Amino acid sequence: MNLEGNNKIYNYISEGNLKIEKVMEDYNNYIKKIIRTNKINISKEDEEEILLDVYLTLWKNQEKLDINKKISPYIAGITRNLILKRLRIKEITYNIEDYQDKIISLSNIDIIYFQKESNQKIIEYIENMKKEDKDIFISYYYQGLKIKEISSMLNISESKVKSKLFRIRKKLQKKIKKEENFYE
């Protein structure tokens, strides 16, 4: 199937439900390509789990999909998120011997606390954004989508995506600076 021409989500809907088997048939190789070009030490088993998790995520969120948009940006974003999630889990170690010679100083605790507070403020800021700004910010920074993909997904110009990202970053920098000044 030519994925470029028939990439709209409505081509994968039947009787109000996502035809996940058809999506799997058309996008299996696409997802594997994304996994292979983004991977760092992902085993064959992890690759298969990510592949299945992409379809599961699509299925669970099918009511949130805009049927007039292309399905590939959704698939790409979900795949990239799952890869990042998988890599983060693999990096976590639970071997106490790794930590036995490390002592946390009081100044490090202050820094950790400040970072946690800052992260919470950033999350609050993101949650209070306008929907379009929030979608752009999350798509770009958390899902790893390209500006062109976001533009296509939200049906807005690439320059609008760029300018919104610029404005969001500026506002976020001001908010962080304000928080830093408060803690000093």
Side-chain angles (χ1 to χ4, degrees), residues 2-117:
N2 177 5
L3 296 180
E4 291 303 314
N6 296 323
N7 194 355
K8 300 281 185 186
I9 293 172
Y10 61 76
N11 290 316
Y12 295 94
I13 302 290
S14 176
E15 298 175 15
N17 287 315
L18 187 66
K19 296 186 287 185
I20 202 70
E21 297 84 11
K22 182 72 174 143
V23 175
M24 292 169 78
E25 181 182 309
D26 289 350
Y27 286 92
N28 228 27
N29 290 332
Y30 177 70
I31 294 170
K32 285 181 180 181
K33 183 178 177 185
I34 293 171
I35 293 170
R36 290 180 183 140
T37 57
N38 286 291
K39 75 175 185 177
I40 303 170
N41 293 331
I42 292 182
S43 68
K44 194 72 174 158
E45 293 80 21
D46 285 341
E47 183 180 298
E48 288 301 317
E49 275 189 49
I50 291 170
L51 189 69
L52 294 173
D53 286 347
V54 169
Y55 298 127
L56 181 63
T57 303
L58 266 176
W59 178 256
K60 284 182 176 180
N61 294 285
Q62 62 183 301
E63 70 281 347
K64 297 176 186 174
L65 301 174
D66 182 342
I67 64 169
N68 295 311
K69 302 236 177 175
K70 292 183 176 185
I71 196 168
S72 56
Y74 286 107
I75 290 174
I78 293 167
T79 304
R80 288 187 188 109
N81 276 342
L82 291 169
I83 291 168
L84 291 172
K85 185 177 176 183
R86 179 74 49 170
L87 292 174
R88 273 187 241 126
I89 290 169
K90 285 192 164 275
E91 289 173 2
I92 297 172
T93 61
Y94 296 101
N95 187 353
I96 194 68
E97 293 167 357
D98 292 342
Y99 304 102
Q100 70 187 27
D101 294 327
K102 294 184 173 118
I103 298 173
I104 297 177
S105 70
L106 289 176
S107 62
N108 286 345
I109 291 173
D110 289 343
I111 291 169
I112 292 168
Y113 177 76
F114 172 73
Q115 287 173 337
K116 184 177 177 184
E117 287 292 311

Side-chain angles (χ1 to χ4, degrees), residues 164-177:
K164 284 200 171 267
L165 282 170
F166 178 78
R167 288 186 194 118
I168 292 167
R169 280 193 303 268
K170 286 293 181 195
K171 287 179 184 176
L172 196 52
Q173 285 172 343
K174 276 185 181 177
K175 184 148 187 78
I176 291 170
K177 271 246 192 272

